[in-house]
Amino acid sequence: MIGKNGKNSIIYSAIGLLFVFLLWFLLYFVVANSYIVPSPLLVIKESFYSLLNGEFYAHLLSTVLRVLIALLISLVLGTALSLISHLSKKVESVLIPIISITRSLPVLAVLLIILIIAPRGVAPIIVCILSILPIIYSQTLNYLNTIDLKTKQMLSVYNVPLKKQVIKVYLKGYSPLFVKEITSLFSFSLKLVVSAEILASVYKSIGGDISNASIYSNVTQLFSLTLIVCLIGIAVELIGNLVSNKMEKKYK
Amino acid sequence: MKIQNLNVAYNNKVVFNNFNLEILNGQITCILGSSGVGKTTLINHIVSLAKSQGIKVAVSFQEPRLIKHLTVYENLKLIGYNNEQIYEVLESVGLKNHAKNYPNTLSGGEKQRVNFARALLSDSSLLVLDEPFSSLDVKLKIELIKLLLSNAQGKTIVFVTHDIDEALMLSNRIILLKDGAIALDYNVTTNLKDREYGKLNKERQILLDAQLL
């Protein structure tokens, strides 16, 4: 069941989307050049055609798979590193400069270097990991640092094993925020992977399809693919917020 | 357990200066004193000392320190108790029907009872209680004191309070703290089973006089 807050967030998102479409319509009439701004109706029609095409789903799957692989690797690495940093200040000190450097990397420029050594299909995954790993690391570490000393003292007094502390106290407490963050990172990662796919000309992917549409000046398809990517990102983020709110509602 | 030459200061304010205290095994020792006298500081030191000596210790904290995303049952399960033990102790503190509730749905007194139950369940040889009955009404306070006494056999209990009647109801020995030192070290001679809450007038007067000195 969707609660009142969930319904509200769906309504507000729908209003936001409607506003974007109205703005698009306005631009379409003002510019009056379908090679620059195509008709929203034509783009929606093109999107439906894409959704009826089996090949599109294969390409979408390959892009989403890259996103999921990057997210999974970043999650495992980011969570493990933040847990170790939380338990050892020395490790945290060593990791601070490494994370800062990773965070400030111009990832699309790095992509060009990665392309020299890695296959085209793998490069977007590496770029995505380099971008989201520092975010996952910092957010998880911030959460862990909010657990107060008194709770830690209680766990220590009762000799709660570290494994149990990590699973039951740290990770379980973090899970609602984690779902929210991970779904929000999904749309960010999708954006990154698609951009990297365009730049790396990865065939049989959404980025590759966008790149082709651009080469053949098929602006309607270009807009339609971009719209689909945006809507997938928004939908995942919305679902994540609903799940996270439901999880948090139990004890807040 | 011996505390020797304890020195503690916060922001240049001396709390304890060369403080010495011996906690006797198997006794219920009460640390009595007004707010800010250093009672919690002292029991934190006792807990650290006990752990450093390998003594198994359980603490009923001044604030319940329950994990907010775990139910009452899960909070107790976290410590390693089994189902039977958990439901038994919850029944004894009157919270059996709250096992599946999250701490945010409990009142202050109920949270304190879970905190108390958590300490009571432990098979530790040292039980430290930091104002465990502070947010409870007198009836419940007396029930829990009786429950504590029935579980006290063979355990060393260190109990902190600012309530003289609580101290007299529960303790074999009362340490009255004042200005970072022991103002009175008093052994309560009346048998624990014969004590009634608020009725030990002679002993009460002795403690009040020492507190006023």
Side-chain angles (χ1 to χ4, degrees):
Chain A
M1 287 292 286
I2 299 170
K4 197 182 170 189
N5 286 343
K7 276 179 191 164
N8 282 346
S9 75
I10 291 173
I11 291 168
Y12 292 137
S13 300
I15 292 171
L17 277 176
L18 199 69
F19 179 73
V20 171
F21 271 99
L22 285 173
L23 204 68
W24 187 356
F25 262 110
L26 194 72
L27 267 172
Y28 170 67
F29 286 116
V30 172
V31 175
N33 184 342
S34 61
Y35 279 104
I36 299 172
V37 183
S39 152
L41 291 176
L42 271 179
V43 169
I44 291 170
K45 208 170 150 188
E46 177 72 29
S47 303
F48 275 111
Y49 283 138
S50 296
L51 293 173
L52 294 172
N53 184 352
E55 206 180 352
F56 166 79
Y57 286 102
H59 295 186
L60 179 67
L61 188 70
S62 102
T63 298
V64 169
L65 217 62
R66 282 191 188 91
V67 173
L68 293 178
I69 291 169
L71 267 177
L72 189 71
I73 294 172
S74 308
L75 261 179
V76 173
L77 269 176
T79 311
L81 289 175
S82 58
L83 272 170
I84 298 167
S85 295
H86 178 68
L87 298 171
S88 159
K89 288 288 157 199
K90 282 179 191 165
V91 174
E92 190 186 357
S93 305
V94 172
L95 283 174
I96 285 172
I98 300 171
I99 294 293
S100 297
I101 292 168
T102 316
R103 194 180 284 132
S104 56
L105 279 176
V107 281
L108 291 182
V110 170
L111 172 74
L112 300 174
I113 303 167
I114 295 169
L115 277 173
I116 301 169
I117 47 168
R120 282 175 188 278
V122 177
I125 300 173
I126 300 173
V127 164
C128 190
I129 292 170
L130 287 175
S131 301
I132 62 172
L133 179 65
I135 302 174
I136 293 177
Y137 170 82
S138 306
Q139 283 174 343
T140 313
L141 189 60
N142 280 346
Y143 164 75
L144 293 174
N145 289 338
T146 59
I147 296 173
D148 67 341
L149 279 172
K150 286 180 174 175
T151 303
K152 286 177 193 164
Q153 190 194 16
M154 183 276 289
L155 296 169
S156 155
V157 162
Y158 285 104
N159 296 319
V160 178
L162 187 63
K163 190 180 159 193
K164 215 170 179 182
Q165 286 186 31
V166 169
I167 295 169
K168 296 281 181 185
V169 181
Y170 296 158
L171 295 183
K172 195 172 178 187
Y174 184 44
S175 53
L177 191 66
F178 180 78
V179 170
K180 198 179 270 183
E181 283 172 356
I182 219 65
T183 46
S184 137
L185 275 176
F186 178 88
S187 46
F188 178 61
S189 306
L190 186 63
K191 195 165 69 177
L192 265 169
V193 166
V194 169
S195 306
E197 283 173 347
I198 294 170
L199 211 68
S201 302
V202 180
Y203 301 115
K204 294 183 179 176
S205 69
I206 294 294
D209 290 349
I210 291 177
S211 181
N212 282 340
S214 168
I215 290 166
Y216 296 111
S217 299
N218 188 348
V219 183
T220 310
Q221 199 193 12
L222 192 69
F223 268 67
S224 133
L225 290 168
T226 311
L227 179 71
I228 292 172
V229 170
C230 283
L231 291 178
I232 291 172
I234 291 170
V236 171
E237 208 164 317
L238 213 61
I239 293 167
N241 281 344
L242 291 175
V243 173
S244 157
N245 289 341
K246 202 170 178 185
M247 288 166 86
E248 264 181 334
K249 209 176 160 187
K250 284 194 288 188
Y251 56 83
K252 269 205 171 164
Chain B
M1 186 196 296
K2 278 183 184 172
I3 296 165
Q4 287 174 316
N5 304 322
L6 175 67
N7 294 298
V8 180
Y10 292 120
N11 301 326
N12 296 328
K13 191 197 164 204
V14 176
V15 182
F16 292 111
N17 185 18
N18 283 330
F19 181 86
N20 296 296
L21 174 69
E22 187 176 0
I23 306 283
L24 301 172
N25 282 344
Q27 270 205 350
I28 305 178
T29 305
C30 174
I31 316 267
L32 183 70
S34 51
S35 295
V37 78
K39 301 189 295 285
T40 301
T41 305
L42 182 58
I43 62 156
N44 282 341
H45 183 75
I46 291 171
V47 171
S48 305
L49 194 66
K51 283 194 77 79
S52 70
Q53 291 176 0
I55 298 170
K56 201 169 178 194
V57 56
V59 183
S60 176
F61 299 95
Q62 200 168 6
E63 333 76 33
R65 302 190 193 184
L66 302 177
I67 309 292
K68 66 173 185 177
H69 59 266
L70 299 181
T71 61
V72 167
Y73 172 86
E74 288 166 339
N75 263 286
L76 298 176
K77 188 85 182 165
L78 181 73
I79 311 301
Y81 309 130
N82 65 39
N83 290 7
E84 202 180 320
Q85 288 173 313
I86 293 171
Y87 281 107
E88 198 177 311
V89 81
L90 283 178
E91 187 163 24
S92 63
V93 294
L95 289 174
K96 197 180 179 182
N97 295 331
H98 292 71
K100 288 179 181 166
N101 291 7
Y102 285 92
N104 67 328
T105 62
L106 304 178
S107 68
E110 286 168 340
K111 283 181 200 166
Q112 201 55 31
R113 276 142 73 189
V114 180
N115 177 25
F116 183 70
R118 184 171 56 194
L120 213 58
L121 261 178
S122 170
D123 60 347
S124 59
S125 51
L126 173 64
L127 187 57
V128 176
L129 308 158
D130 191 359
E131 309 226 17
F133 313 121
S134 56
S135 46
L136 305 178
D137 59 56
V138 175
K139 192 180 163 224
L140 193 61
K141 195 184 282 191
I142 294 169
E143 275 178 30
L144 292 189
I145 288 174
K146 283 179 182 166
L147 180 68
L148 178 64
L149 289 175
S150 67
N151 281 273
Q153 282 151 348
K155 285 189 179 183
T156 304
I157 298 177
V158 179
F159 169 67
V160 163
T161 185
H162 59 264
D163 182 333
I164 292 177
D165 292 316
E166 260 177 44
L168 286 170
M169 180 83 180
L170 253 175
S171 323
N172 302 111
R173 180 185 176 206
I174 298 172
I175 307 288
L176 178 67
L177 285 185
K178 206 174 167 188
D179 302 325
I182 297 173
L184 180 74
D185 188 345
Y186 183 74
N187 286 307
V188 189
T189 47
T190 313
N191 195 313
L192 275 168
K193 285 176 186 167
D194 300 332
R195 296 180 199 178
E196 280 186 68
Y197 189 83
K199 301 234 169 124
L200 293 169
N201 293 327
K202 192 185 108 199
E203 288 89 343
R204 197 172 200 278
Q205 199 53 53
I206 294 168
L207 288 165
L208 277 172
D209 290 345
Q211 230 170 4
L212 290 171
L213 272 174

